[in-house]
Amino acid sequence: MFSKTDVQNNLSEVVDILDNILGYSKNHNDFSGQISYDCPICSHEIKGLDKGDGKGNLEINYKLGVYKCWACCDTHRTYGVLRFFIKKYGSKEQLKKYDLLAPEEAEIYKKKYNPVKLPKEFILLNSVTTGFKLTHHYKRAMGYLRSRNITDDMMQRHHIGFCYTGEYAGRIIIPSYDDNLDLNYFIARTYDERNKLKYKNPEAEKEVIIWNERLIDWDEPVYLVEGPFDSIFLPNSIPMLGKTLSEKLFTDLYEKAQKIIIVLDGDAWENAKKIYSKLNGGRLFGKIWIIKLPIDKDIADLQGNLNNFEMKQLV
Ligand SMILES: [Zn+2]
């Protein structure tokens, strides 16, 4: 653990990192940990300046690990967790150093990123041998996927498998991998219709992952959908793993997406409208579209064919 002097030293090193990223600070209260700088978004993105705008509107509290720009927080969402700010505006080395200096904050993230592993009984469907294909385990798992119109190509692309023993016995497993191809989550859907527990997913913070980001091209329109089964049928789609948008997904969409099309299940139109208004602001303003599906339909039912539905913008 850190002693009091260590903490003081660490905090002054955090200030060094911030100075390196943002230039000279305007005001600094080292007792409260409050420090202000010219906001890079106001200065560069909004005003197109090469240097700071001299306003000092970006307030950081490094003891609390938060930041906010008083001028552009509403239009550009310039507020939140300091670590995200350093991740975006600093270098990899600066972030690494920050994580060492602000261990409590880093700890929160580490805890959230509880490593997920595939069940040891996991069988990748594309890898099964001819002999195994004769077993009833295989036939049942495949029967379920076929009944949902999932093709071999989709299974391969999405790395779909199943378990017939262990904690996830009788379940189709769909894994999610991040940009570095590291597993970050999976869902386990029963193929035994008598099983009342349809999904049994691992204990992990699904709020802090982007489902299969490895398959996402941020330069192309991104579809926002509800579940992993929807995303199998619709290329470049991100499932929210529910009917609401996590802060992590919101932040990533806000920073990376060029155009977003929201397509939730037909029965979730009110949720879809809420997400639309949440996203349609700042740099994403005018770049959000929405598709309304019939009340009893989802993307998987339609096998990803959205041709018959109008894509529109709300007023
Ligand atoms: Zn600003």
Side-chain angles (χ1 to χ4, degrees):
M1 280 329 283
F2 291 95
S3 73
K4 209 169 176 181
T5 0
D6 286 337
V7 171
Q8 287 302 341
N9 289 340
N10 283 356
L11 290 175
S12 77
E13 284 190 56
V14 170
V15 174
D16 286 345
I17 295 175
L18 295 173
D19 284 346
N20 283 331
I21 299 173
L22 292 159
Y24 291 108
S25 61
K26 300 281 166 191
N27 295 306
H28 184 192
N29 180 334
D30 59 6
F31 178 72
S32 64
Q34 195 81 13
I35 191 165
S36 67
Y37 294 92
D38 288 341
C39 167
I41 294 105
C42 286
S43 310
H44 308 144
E45 280 186 38
I46 301 175
K47 297 176 184 161
L49 300 173
D50 289 337
K51 52 186 176 61
D53 63 0
K55 304 271 188 211
N57 280 326
L58 181 73
E59 293 269 358
I60 293 175
N61 190 308
Y62 52 83
K63 285 193 176 173
L64 300 174
V66 292
Y67 73 95
K68 179 171 185 172
C69 170
W70 296 103
C72 70
C73 60
D74 290 333
T75 50
H76 290 69
R77 293 205 159 257
T78 322
Y79 60 86
V81 175
L82 183 56
R83 189 179 183 276
F84 283 143
F85 184 87
I86 293 173
K87 192 177 174 197
K88 184 167 181 199
Y89 290 96
S91 65
K92 276 204 172 111
E93 289 68 38
Q94 285 166 328
L95 180 66
K96 216 177 195 175
K97 201 169 165 204
Y98 178 75
D99 281 345
L100 292 173
L101 295 168
E104 281 166 19
E105 207 184 328
E107 208 48 50
I108 296 170
Y109 285 92
K110 266 190 229 140
K111 214 160 139 196
K112 283 186 174 175
Y113 286 111
N114 227 349
V116 181
K117 280 189 196 143
L118 285 176
K120 60 180 189 302
E121 301 86 1
F122 176 81
I123 296 169
L124 184 65
L125 277 159
N126 270 82
S127 73
V128 303
T129 57
T130 319
F132 190 78
K133 286 184 179 167
L134 299 172
T135 64
H136 75 278
H137 301 299
Y138 174 83
K139 285 180 183 163
R140 285 186 68 198
M142 279 304 269
Y144 175 78
L145 290 168
R146 294 285 185 238
S147 76
R148 294 198 67 165
N149 299 302
I150 292 170
T151 63
D152 291 349
D153 282 349
M154 291 172 184
M155 284 177 220
Q156 192 166 4
R157 185 172 161 79
H158 290 269
H159 212 78
I160 297 175
F162 78 113
C163 296
Y164 68 90
T165 52
E167 191 184 350
Y168 295 92
R171 292 177 182 278
I172 300 291
I173 308 284
I174 309 179
S176 161
Y177 297 90
D178 66 15
D179 250 355
N180 301 319
L181 304 185
D182 288 325
L183 182 83
N184 54 17
Y185 200 60
F186 66 84
I187 61 152
R189 168 69 165 85
T190 180
Y191 52 78
D192 178 352
E193 289 304 335
R194 289 166 306 180
N195 192 336
K196 290 209 174 62
L197 187 65
K198 277 209 279 180
Y199 288 93
K200 179 183 168 69
N201 301 333
E203 275 195 33
E205 298 245 13
K206 63 177 187 185
E207 289 75 19
V208 296
I209 63 135
I210 304 295
W211 181 269
N212 269 338
E213 185 169 5
R214 70 183 173 109
L215 299 174
I216 299 301
D217 180 351
W218 293 101
D219 296 327
E220 293 296 316
V222 171
Y223 289 87
L224 203 54
V225 303
E226 278 187 40
F229 276 95
D230 299 321
S231 74
I232 290 173
F233 291 96
L234 198 57
N236 223 36
S237 65
I238 303 176
M240 301 188 298
L241 305 173
K243 292 187 195 292
T244 54
L245 204 54
S246 71
E247 273 307 308
K248 162 74 179 162
L249 182 52
F250 176 85
T251 309
D252 278 41
L253 288 169
Y254 192 84
E255 288 173 357
K256 300 178 188 171
Q258 308 305 323
K259 176 179 176 177
I260 300 170
I261 304 155
I262 303 166
V263 205
L264 303 195
D265 297 357
D267 63 5
W269 179 240
E270 290 306 315
N271 301 75
K273 282 197 294 190
K274 270 186 206 144
I275 292 164
Y276 182 98
S277 19
K278 187 169 180 191
L279 285 169
N280 193 36
R283 72 165 280 273
L284 286 178
F285 184 76
K287 296 174 180 170
I288 314 299
W289 296 78
I290 195 165
I291 294 175
K292 188 177 186 177
L293 297 182
I295 197 135
D296 58 339
K297 289 277 187 291
D298 64 34
I299 296 165
D301 298 331
L302 298 161
Q303 294 175 49
N305 182 357
L306 301 174
N307 291 339
N308 295 326
F309 306 100
E310 189 198 355
M311 186 171 91
K312 58 187 176 184
Q313 291 190 302
L314 303 176
V315 281

